[in-house]
Amino acid sequence: RKEVEQDPGPFNVPEGATVAFNCTYSNSASQSFFWYRQDCRKEPKLLMSVYSSGNEDGRFTAQLNRASQYISLLIRDSKLSDSATYLCVVNLMDTGRRALTFGSGTRLQVQP
Amino acid sequence: GAVVSQHPSWVICKSGTSVKIECRSLDFQATTMFWYRQFPKQSLMLMATSNEGSKATYEQGVEKDKFLINHASLTLSTLTVTSAHPEDSSFYICSARFGHPNEAQHFGDGTRLSIL
C-alpha cells in the first residue's frame, strides 16, 4: 500500500465548477500535512498547510481528519489557471531524517 | 519571491559526464536540505537528506557513490551525478525548510537532466 494515495485523475471540469480532491495516508504517526501544486515541468509550490480545524484560503479549503487518515482539498469557482497537478504531501517526523512523502498527484484540467 | 535557488535549470550532456547541481537557500540558513528526483508522470521521490557539516543520509536504493552530496555551508548544498548514464535522466529538485521540522518545505525550480 502506498504511504500517500491520491486519485490520479485527470479531473476535467468547466470554469466556475467546484472540485474536491481526496487523499489518504497510511502512517498514523504523520505529523504535518500539505497540499502542493505542480505545474507541468515545474517545481512543486506550496498551496496550503492542512490542519484538523480546517483552513481556508480564498477559493481553497483544506481539511484533515486524523481519525480516518484522510485529507481533502476543495476548490471553488475554478479558474483556468487552476489547471495543474495537486500533490498531497505528508511529513513523517522521525528525527528529521525523513522528508516529505508525496502522493502521486491529481491532475486538474479546467476547461473554458 | 523565491526562497530556494537551484542551478542549472537544464543540462544536456553525454553519457559518462559528471554533473553538479547547486541548491541555495536565499535569505535564510538551512541546516537541512533535501534532494528529490521525479521521473515523467511520477511523484517526487526523496533521494537523500543533506545535513550541513555532516554526511548526507541516503534513501534505500540510492547509491551514495553515484550521487554525491555536499552541504558545506548553511546556504548551499550540491548534488553531483557522477558518470551519468541515460537512465539518470530525470528532474532533480532540491528543497529546504526553515524553522520547525513540521513546517512546509520550499523547493528550488528544479534541474532537468538529459543524458544522451
Side-chain angles (χ1 to χ4, degrees), chain A residues 31-34 36 38 40-46 49 87 91 93 96-105, chain B residues 10 32 34 36 38 42-44 46 49 57-59 91 93 97 101-110 112:
Chain A
Q31 296 199 357
S32 51
F33 311 88
F34 311 94
Y36 278 76
Q38 186 174 26
C40 189
R41 301 169 82 86
K42 297 282 190 182
E43 80 281 13
K45 294 193 175 177
L46 177 66
S49 301
L87 303 169
N91 187 7
M93 180 57 189
R97 177 180 183 274
R98 190 71 185 275
L100 302 178
T101 301
F102 287 79
S104 54
Chain B
W10 198 293
T32 304
F34 304 90
Y36 295 83
Q38 185 177 34
Q42 294 187 25
S43 189
L44 279 78
L46 179 65
T49 302
T57 305
Y58 290 81
E59 293 299 298
F91 190 44
I93 313 176
R97 70 170 175 237
N102 277 346
E103 292 293 316
Q105 295 176 19
H106 296 273
F107 287 84
D109 46 13
R112 197 158 299 281

Side-chain angles (χ1 to χ4, degrees), chain B residues 23-74:
Chain B
C23 180
R24 292 180 186 275
S25 59
L26 307 177
D27 300 325
F28 73 97
Q29 294 180 334
T31 53
T32 304
M33 290 184 176
F34 304 90
W35 287 97
Y36 295 83
R37 180 168 55 182
Q38 185 177 34
F39 291 106
K41 298 190 178 182
Q42 294 187 25
S43 189
L44 279 78
M45 296 298 295
L46 179 65
M47 298 176 67
T49 302
S50 171
N51 302 296
E52 187 268 338
S54 64
K55 291 183 181 179
T57 305
Y58 290 81
E59 293 299 298
Q60 192 173 10
V62 178
E63 300 174 56
K64 61 181 181 181
D65 295 330
K66 170 86 175 167
F67 299 99
L68 301 178
I69 291 173
N70 185 282
H71 195 154
S73 77
L74 286 169

